[in-house]
Amino acid sequence: MKKLVSWLLALAMAFSLTACGEQGRETAEMNVYVLAGPTGVGAMNLWAKSDAGETENTYHFTMAGSNDEVVAAIARGEADMAAVATNMAAALYQKTQGGVTVLAVNTLGVLSLLTSGEALASAADLKGRTVYSIGQGANPEYILRYVLRENGLDPDRDVTLRFVGDGSELMGVWQSEPDAVIMAPQPAATAMLMQYEGSRLCLDMTEEWNRVSGGESTLMMGCVIVRSAFLAEHQGAVDTFLREYAASIEAAQSDAAATAVLCERYGLLPKASLAEQAIPHCGLTFVSGSAMKAQLGGYLQVMFDANPKSVGGKLPDDGFYYGA
């Protein structure tokens, strides 16, 4: 009888451990919104594996054209998780009173300074120059102004800043102002370098940010967020997503050509040839936990200092960061 009881207890323990293991590998169906452009590149391999039935979770992907579209889908509960701009995630956290949580940073800076031919040794060389950019009153302007100030320049006196509506409008600037410097995002920057013979990428704004920040922050422009209610109900499945998503980003980093084909297939970027050239400059990364909190927190602080409204009026508290 003692042996039987011992055997039954051992069997019960085995079942208990198996259940715990299965709970740790929880899976679920989830709706994932991907923002067109560099922020969405990291999800392309995961999307393809999902279509092939090779993922643990069941993913339903939607391609979104703007941050506003993603925010609306999150607010309506139509999106469980999404790739968005980091400051937009912070603003949404405030607007929904903690209704979203940032899981990981997926994109560093995607901005570069281009010239029609001459070199720039540093951002300090922009003194007296005209710089065209997208993003007036948004991240690109705040990033540019921060880097200029940290290089000893007054953005309103030492440099002439001119803003256009989107990346496509930057394509014709050199036709009328060949001496202008252009700060362009990917993939527009790569498209311009392919179109204009002799043009060059002079400065990577991510590197410039890192150089002047002294390690206190990192230029982190894109992230993936989840509805906090979905996270509370399916934490195990969200952890599974993070494993699969990190592998997808790694695949994009190691095989730009194959990922470029997927970018064209799913409509993220118009041509695979352009995507292949742009992907190495898209700042793909995967940063989570305490490292994400430290580095992203510093970036959001700079955005807040530039314009509190850019991050929702105040900096997010610790509840914003998953696993920190």
Side-chain angles (χ1 to χ4, degrees), residues 94-150:
Q94 304 296 352
K95 183 177 181 180
T96 60
Q97 298 181 326
V100 298
T101 303
V102 62
L103 297 173
V105 170
N106 60 12
T107 313
L108 300 177
V110 296
L111 298 168
S112 302
L113 287 176
L114 313 178
T115 69
S116 57
E118 78 277 21
L120 296 173
S122 73
D125 290 345
L126 293 174
K127 185 172 184 177
R129 304 294 297 270
T130 297
V131 180
Y132 279 81
S133 176
I134 62 166
Q136 185 173 22
N139 286 23
E141 179 180 2
Y142 304 145
I143 291 166
L144 179 57
R145 286 179 173 274
Y146 172 72
V147 169
L148 290 174
R149 285 195 301 270
E150 295 301 313

Side-chain angles (χ1 to χ4, degrees), residues 20-83:
C20 289
E22 289 176 350
Q23 185 177 8
R25 302 289 287 189
E26 177 196 351
T27 61
E29 287 195 34
M30 52 186 71
N31 298 317
V32 184
Y33 274 57
V34 176
L35 191 62
T39 307
V41 171
M44 292 299 96
N45 289 282
L46 180 58
W47 194 334
K49 291 191 71 173
S50 178
D51 282 354
E54 298 174 355
T55 56
E56 294 182 54
N57 287 319
T58 300
Y59 300 108
H60 304 289
F61 283 93
T62 298
M63 184 69 65
S66 68
N67 276 294
D68 290 342
E69 183 180 345
V70 174
V71 168
I74 287 282
R76 292 192 299 263
E78 296 172 0
D80 299 314
M81 50 189 60

Side-chain angles (χ1 to χ4, degrees), residues 230-266:
F230 185 88
L231 174 61
E233 187 175 354
H234 301 288
Q235 183 174 349
V238 171
D239 289 338
T240 298
F241 163 78
L242 285 174
R243 288 193 300 271
E244 296 188 311
Y245 187 60
S248 179
I249 291 174
E250 183 178 356
Q253 292 171 322
S254 61
D255 194 343
T259 304
V261 172
L262 299 177
C263 288
E264 180 176 340
R265 177 192 301 174
Y266 294 118

